[in-house]
Amino acid sequence: MIILDANILWGVTLNSSTADLLRALRAAGIQVAVPWVVMEELASQRALHYAETHDKAASALNELKRHVPWGGVPKLGQVDTERHRKHWRNTYRQMVEVIEPSAEALRTALFRESNVLAPCKRVGGQKGDKTGSRDAAIWLTAVEYARKHEDDTVYFVSTNTKDFGDGTEYPEPMKSDLAGIEGRFFHLTSLDDVVERFAGPAEIDPEFLPAFLARKETIELLTDALSEHLPAFASKPDEEWLNRRLSYTPLGGDEEVGEVGSAVGWLNPPLLTFDAVSDVTAHSIDGQDWYMATVRLFASGFMVLTGPTLIPAANALEARVLVTQDKTGTRPSVLRCERPRTLSADEASRVPHMGTNWRQELEAQFPPNNLPRQASAKVGLLAQLDSSAAATFFIAMAIDAFMNRKRSK
């Protein structure tokens, strides 16, 4: 078990190399966690910065109102720190687990601060303020975990050597805390120490990842893993789908490459194709080879837009992918993914061909007065939609039937 202090995760975001490393360790079966106190510290700091920035913005808008006699100054919503804390808790939980402290550990932490026992201290001399109860709670949570899990080795990671020391020697009562578990409780002072202990270098085969990521079976796995970035028209039963904005590039028309429009989503799950791989690194973790790479994929198909309009379109997804290779086989997993983006002209030229006369074929097979039968089966739903949504629905059903006929030929 690797237990991290708050200073290890300050400023870490989901798309950082640190987050990638933590996910790789977890994927290798090495647990990575933070004490509950650390999670709350991280969330509270984010929320406090947000609240301070919100106050500054509110003051600036109030000042602006004084200088705009005709009005029209935008209003700022109410500050919502709890929502902010919840967001960051969820974000960090994608990288680490959370260890809950016992009531005894929390009581002991407060006792140590009251009596200025390590790692607690005074700030400002003998008459200064007592501080350090959170540091004590973090330390005691790690120690408590080690004592409860006798078959586990704990690696406590903190850059705070001023309060926790560097792992070579501890003051009392911290020294006594480790009595009996010294052989399986290790104190590391940086993530570099973690990498050195758990991840060794591995040789990179330049042809392995492109060939593996282009396989049909791999694409299917990646499609499932990236489903939230490939929203389908039918996957949003509530009204939010009418307001979705999804970047896309039209295909086979006169529209300019790179256009960004307001998209409801894909009519059906789009076709995902591999385009390129970059930023490849390789490590050996716990006897297994782990590749990390940035992979560019193209999603293409029929996209439903607000309006209503339905067009053949494509966009690009860039994902950080982890691939493990051992005696049981080769497996990919998505560490993170950027929001879908439009394509460059060069990228658009590499998207699989979708046909140039799809509008004409559709109109010929499904004239407005002869909608496909499957549309009438769901006509009861139209009473719940406005005219724009209803039109989009009928177009979607027609295209769906059209695509099914094309596949059956």
Side-chain angles (χ1 to χ4, degrees), residues 267-268 302 310 362 366 372 374 378 393-407:
L267 173 62
N268 291 312
F302 288 100
L310 194 148
L362 176 64
F366 304 108
Q374 56 264 47
K378 298 184 179 181
F393 179 83
F394 276 120
I395 294 174
M397 296 305 297
I399 292 287
D400 195 27
F402 167 69
M403 293 299 294
N404 286 335
R405 290 189 183 185
K406 294 286 286 185
R407 293 190 190 99

Side-chain angles (χ1 to χ4, degrees), residues 340-355:
R341 62 168 176 79
T342 57
L343 308 179
S344 67
D346 180 60
E347 289 173 335
S349 68
R350 299 198 296 274
V351 176
H353 180 66
M354 292 184 61

Side-chain angles (χ1 to χ4, degrees), residues 27-28 208 212 218 221 288-291 321-333:
F208 163 65
F212 173 72
T218 306
L221 292 173
Q288 298 179 348
D289 287 340
W290 297 83
Y291 287 79
V321 173
L322 175 71
V323 177
T324 177
Q325 188 178 33
D326 57 26
K327 60 183 180 181
T328 64
T330 305
R331 301 175 300 281
S333 60

Side-chain angles (χ1 to χ4, degrees), residues 272-286:
L272 209 62
T273 54
F274 168 79
D275 182 57
V277 63
S278 59
D279 301 326
V280 180
T281 62
H283 298 281
S284 178
I285 303 176
D286 197 27

Side-chain angles (χ1 to χ4, degrees), residues 51 72 76 108-109 132 170 191 196 205 211 246 259 274 278 288 352 380-381 395:
L76 188 64
T108 303
Y170 299 100
L191 275 180
E196 183 178 343
D205 180 349
L246 190 66
E259 176 183 339
F274 168 79
S278 59
Q288 298 179 348
L381 296 175
I395 294 174

